[in-house]
Amino acid sequence: MLPEYAPPQKLKRSLTLLLAVLYGLSVTIGAGIYVPVGIAAGRSGMHAPLAFVFAALVMSFSAASFAELGTRIPVSASEAAYVEQAFNRPWLSLTMGLLVVLTATISAATISVGSAGYLGVFVDLSPQWIITLVVLSMGLVACLSTRQSVIIAGIMTLVELGGLVLIIAAGFAAGRGVVSRLPEILPEPGDIAVWVGLSGTTLIVVFAFIGFEHLINVAEETKNPSRTLPWALFLTLGLTTLVYALLVWVAVVAVPPEELATSSAHWRWYLNG
């Protein structure tokens, strides 16, 4: 007797544009912004916000590529599926899938270790225990449905964004030239050295935008992916750029760029000062 045919299983499309954008912001905006601030200020001074805008323009080409691939092949396997479709080599797509797992593992480990430093300020536990609890709690969140886990990630993102927005608002309210000094962002057109330095800074701060491409991993669970996914990718990139540029501008106005470049606690200095 022939086995009964079982139709291929598909994931439930439950993510709206809002949830997709929140997910994109949650995997993009993170601790990566704090390190490039000092580096960008040291290399480009008052022009540092431009480096983040230029970096976003560079990343927009990747966003367009992922939007095209994600709408043509809206499956959760993302990169592995693209390689399979392009080369039709199972071993190659398997290798790509394993590489994605490896990079995600390294990224999760790095974030878990980094979070121990922040949470250790509020929780009197050893870093090893904090890291273990973070991994276990995030593992439990991952066991939930995609919609539930994205909602939790979105709430955490809104909390994080709230802190960054408070810093930006405090900068504009402090009256330290945040608005009046805006023309200083633009370098002189003929100053080749500044433009060369700015291009180098742009290559460095691209690091702060890495993550938004993970939106393609939820393409199979997104409602109307042919419309939602491109919008989510570019809205994530645009909102991230706006937050980063304003944040860096407030930083370089509040603290001299040369001081900011050598300080490991520039945000604490600004908030306390």
Side-chain angles (χ1 to χ4, degrees):
M1 179 184 295
L2 293 175
E4 184 179 349
Y5 173 73
Q9 298 296 312
K10 294 183 178 180
L11 299 175
K12 182 180 179 181
R13 297 194 179 279
S14 59
L15 298 183
T16 61
L17 176 60
L18 176 61
L19 289 177
V21 171
L22 284 175
Y23 174 75
L25 292 174
S26 70
V27 294
T28 306
I29 298 178
I33 180 57
Y34 298 105
V35 175
V37 167
I39 297 174
R43 293 176 61 93
S44 296
M46 304 303 292
H47 314 305
L50 274 184
F52 287 84
V53 175
F54 292 157
L57 292 175
V58 171
M59 296 300 285
S60 67
F61 293 99
S62 294
S65 299
F66 281 119
E68 182 69 20
L69 290 168
T71 53
R72 289 193 181 195
I73 314 173
V75 296
S76 60
S78 58
E79 293 96 334
Y82 306 155
V83 171
E84 175 68 20
Q85 289 287 326
F87 302 103
N88 195 25
R89 295 288 187 272
W91 67 268
L92 193 57
S93 59
L94 175 61
T95 302
M96 175 57 68
L98 291 175
L99 287 174
V100 171
V101 172
L102 178 62
T103 55
T105 302
I106 294 173
S107 175
T110 303
I111 293 172
S112 299
V113 172
S115 65
Y118 292 101
L119 294 176
V121 176
F122 306 100
V123 181
D124 187 19
L125 290 174
S126 66
Q128 292 82 359
W129 274 108
I130 295 177
I131 293 170
T132 301
L133 291 174
V134 167
V135 171
L136 290 176
S137 59
M138 292 301 100
L140 290 174
V141 170
C143 292
L144 301 174
S145 69
T146 299
R147 183 180 177 87
Q148 291 172 327
S149 59
V150 167
I151 288 175
I152 293 174
I155 292 172
M156 295 172 66
T157 302
L158 290 176
V159 172
E160 181 181 19
L161 277 175
L164 298 180
V165 170
L166 280 176
I167 293 175
I168 295 170
F172 277 88
R176 300 183 180 182
V178 173
V179 177
S180 62
R181 297 180 64 182
L182 277 174
E184 296 181 34
I185 291 180
L186 296 175
E188 294 293 331
D191 197 337
I192 304 300
V194 171
W195 285 105
V196 170
L198 194 56
S199 64
T201 306
T202 298
L203 294 176
I204 293 173
V205 301
V206 162
F207 167 79
F209 290 91
I210 293 175
F212 78 95
E213 70 281 359
H214 290 307
L215 266 167
I216 59 173
N217 294 324
V218 296
E220 194 172 347
E221 297 163 277
T222 302
K223 294 181 178 179
N224 192 11
S226 61
R227 177 178 174 82
T228 302
L229 191 61
W231 272 103
L233 282 164
F234 282 101
L235 281 174
T236 297
L237 188 59
L239 291 172
T240 302
T241 305
L242 179 64
V243 171
Y244 284 176
L246 289 175
L247 197 63
V248 175
W249 178 242
V250 167
V252 295
V253 171
V255 184
E258 60 276 7
E259 220 178 287
L260 192 62
T262 58
S263 174
S264 60
H266 46 272
W267 292 118
R268 189 189 313 168
W269 183 94
Y270 174 65
L271 291 174
N272 291 339

